[in-house]
Amino acid sequence: MELLDGVPPLGTEELLAEVDAAERELAAGEGPPAGTAPAGDEEGAARFEALIAADGKIEPRDWMPDGYRRSLIRQIAQHAHSEIMGMQPETNWISRAPSLARKAILIAKVQDEAGHGLYLYSVAESLGVSREWMLDELHAGRQKYLSFINYPTLTWADVGALAWLTDGAAVVNQVSLCRTSYGPYARALVRICKEESFHHRQGFDLLYALSRGTPEQRAMLQAAVDRWWYPALAMFGPPDHMSTHSAQSLAWRIKRATNDELRQRFVDICVPQARVLGVTLPDPALRWNAERGHHDFTPPDFEELKRVVAGNGPCNRQRLAHRRRAHEDGAWVREAAAAYAAKHGESREAAEPAPAGEAARAPERTDWPLWEVFVRPRRGLAHSHAGGLHAPDAAMALRNARDLYTRRGEGVSIWVLPAAGITASSPDEKDAFFDPAGDKVYRHPSFFELPEGVEHL
Amino acid sequence: MTAPMTTTGPDLRDYVLRLGDDALVAAQRVAGWCTRAPQFEEDVALANIALDLLGQARALLTYAGELEGLGRDEDALAFGRDEHEFRNVQLVELPDDDFATAIAKMLFFGVYQRLLYTGLSRAADPTLAGIAAKAAKETAYHVDHAVSWTLRLGDGTAESHRRMQAAVDHVWPYTHELFEPGPPPAAAGPGADPAALRGPWCREVEQVLAEATLRRPEDGWAPTGGRSGVHTEAFGHLLAEMQYVYRAHPGARW
């Protein structure tokens, strides 16, 4: 476990370097501990523990403890819901953005959040729960989303303050999560962090323009920072001694740093940036502590956090009602597309993945089927897996994949496959399946020693 | 409003302004779907389309401002003009009462835009030709999206068929304004004559409606006025919302 003591405050560049490092770790892959036999629970458990201890990645079909699966589902669903619900406070200003350039940036940012929600829902689905079930849980208030979303964006400056502070906090959190032990989550986070680095920066840029503007604009800026500072600090969750989920999540390497460590890191990042903006952070106790090498600060009011999480923030009811209404208003459209697919020869059954794990406990649902997306990044390279999405049929899946996975020109060709149509090797047979290839060293040219002077062989 | 004479003629500015206003108002409506689309995947798709339209609007308004020569940039034109100074057709300002209405508008407007931009990509004026060539590709995708949904809603459930037919019937009369005669400026080229686009537009749209099991409405009532600054009541609300921050802080930079 890395600790933050002695780590200097980081800027976006350094945070992105951490994302790159996590990506390289993913590419290098784990050295799997030697297993000998197909896994029953006991051997599966031993293999799981060994993988975690070796800082390896757990993949969807690996054996994992129920608690690990449940923790991941809870955390990833909450993360996905936060992306989706987090669109609302910013969308509040799309129609009123005071310049066309800012309007475009804001639409692109809100769109990214929808995209990130989708990446994350498909990660959670790899754990055996359906998106429909997660949405039911969200709509019923049983699964949560980040509490800052329940605060209002009252002025244009709030759009900037929200992005600078809460996206800044999210980046700190997510960069740490890029090294999470669950492979699909780690891969999605690398992609999300790279895309989100622009969110944080555009927020700062928006505020910077206000800071150099009229007295009214500067007053708007300060008021918005006053509103968003503490909701952002509260994003890191309760303090370590009060956090109910932290310890086990750290041990399983789902989380990689504690709430308080990340909060400290965030405060240290913000202070010099606030100076550039010419704003006062609303904490009279905020000052540099040379001994600790960090800023001292007043923590958020965790009683308020509890109230907001319990549903009593200024906008909880409004945000959930909006989400439910969009879902209900869209039901006839989703049904129409499913009916069209059925009529035109695309059987839903063929594309519907068999429910497993948590989904088996969830009620039977009729959502659009899940598709896996493969993208060729450029000519000459093979298609590689990008993630999942839902669509009523193949034609729509292809269009959705284009919008979702190639927004930034990441591809020149796309494949979509019904998730249920993929046959995968079993992790239980991994040793029998792959180990025999390990000792056929004569398949590699380096096995043969060349006599001196022989070239071009 | 009068514009000073330029080498490309006084009417090119008005013509470019029309195109820009169409795209801007359409973008504002499509962007209104953020967080409200029937599925998250559709949220992402509609945001892409809104961004394309907004990009077209910015390029066109910037160019209209240059042709005008009064120092007005894209924002001054978007946020600083009153209702009667906007030259967009009424079709794009109609409220998106439901998803079917949004799709009907996207289909009718998209096919028109694609035909028009394809013609304009051969315009004598190089700036306009460049903007049009890029926009033609974008609108081809918008049409593809609108056609996909028209088929699924028209030929989906009884409820979706009813809604889609109602939307087509509601929006159809406003399509006539797209093709009102009025020769385009010489610099725009002969490919841009709106009246000449009606034939190909009808053929394409009628084929989609037929495949979607939808009835092509009768031609009859043909509301008009957008090109000369007469708009629907809903348009004032759209502008009030879009322009208020900009206008509340005169001269501020954002």
Side-chain angles (χ1 to χ4, degrees), chain B residues 1-238:
Chain B
M1 282 190 310
T2 54
M5 294 292 289
T6 69
T7 51
T8 44
D11 50 0
L12 184 61
R13 185 214 72 141
D14 286 349
Y15 183 76
V16 172
L17 198 57
R18 281 180 186 192
L19 302 180
D21 286 349
D22 278 352
L24 176 64
V25 176
Q28 182 79 356
R29 284 293 186 217
V30 176
W33 281 94
C34 277
T35 74
R36 298 199 300 120
Q39 188 70 303
F40 302 131
E41 280 84 355
E42 188 61 18
D43 241 310
V44 177
L46 291 176
N48 260 355
I49 291 170
L51 283 172
D52 286 344
L53 290 167
L54 188 53
Q56 294 165 14
R58 295 180 61 193
L60 289 162
L61 293 182
T62 298
Y63 188 40
E66 285 167 18
L67 290 170
E68 181 180 75
L70 298 176
R72 294 203 284 186
D73 64 7
E74 60 183 50
D75 289 334
L77 287 170
F79 299 106
R81 283 179 301 152
D82 291 339
E83 276 174 77
H84 69 273
E85 295 170 283
F86 275 80
R87 292 290 176 265
N88 56 283
V89 288
Q90 293 181 355
L91 185 150
V92 292
E93 71 200 42
L94 296 178
D96 290 354
D97 297 324
D98 68 356
F99 187 67
T101 310
I103 293 301
K105 286 168 60 188
M106 188 184 294
L107 176 69
F108 297 157
F109 180 61
V111 173
Y112 156 81
Q113 262 198 321
R114 202 201 57 227
L115 292 168
L116 179 70
Y117 283 139
T118 304
L120 285 179
S121 63
R122 294 185 296 272
D125 184 88
T127 307
L128 184 56
I131 295 171
K134 177 171 181 293
K137 280 189 213 164
E138 293 168 349
T139 51
Y141 185 75
H142 307 170
V143 170
D144 181 78
H145 193 77
V147 169
S148 298
W149 273 118
T150 303
L151 296 177
R152 281 158 183 77
L153 298 182
D155 194 16
T157 62
E159 165 75 355
S160 71
H161 179 85
R162 184 189 65 74
R163 282 175 178 258
M164 193 64 215
Q165 185 67 59
V168 165
D169 292 345
H170 167 56
V171 180
W172 187 268
Y174 294 89
T175 62
H176 295 288
E177 195 185 3
L178 294 167
F179 308 104
E180 275 174 7
D193 178 12
L197 300 178
R198 173 80 179 173
W201 183 89
C202 274
R203 276 192 295 283
E204 189 167 342
V205 166
E206 283 165 6
Q207 195 184 339
V208 175
L209 293 181
E211 201 187 330
T213 72
L214 295 164
R215 186 172 28 80
R216 178 219 195 270
E218 298 295 319
D219 293 321
W221 182 54
T224 182
R227 297 297 188 209
S228 52
V230 178
H231 295 280
T232 59
E233 286 183 346
F235 188 53
H237 294 269
L238 180 148

Side-chain angles (χ1 to χ4, degrees), chain A residues 370-386:
Chain A
L370 178 66
W371 301 77
E372 296 295 342
V373 179
F374 299 79
V375 175
R376 184 198 298 288
R378 55 173 192 273
R379 306 187 69 82
L381 294 182
H383 288 77
S384 60
H385 185 240

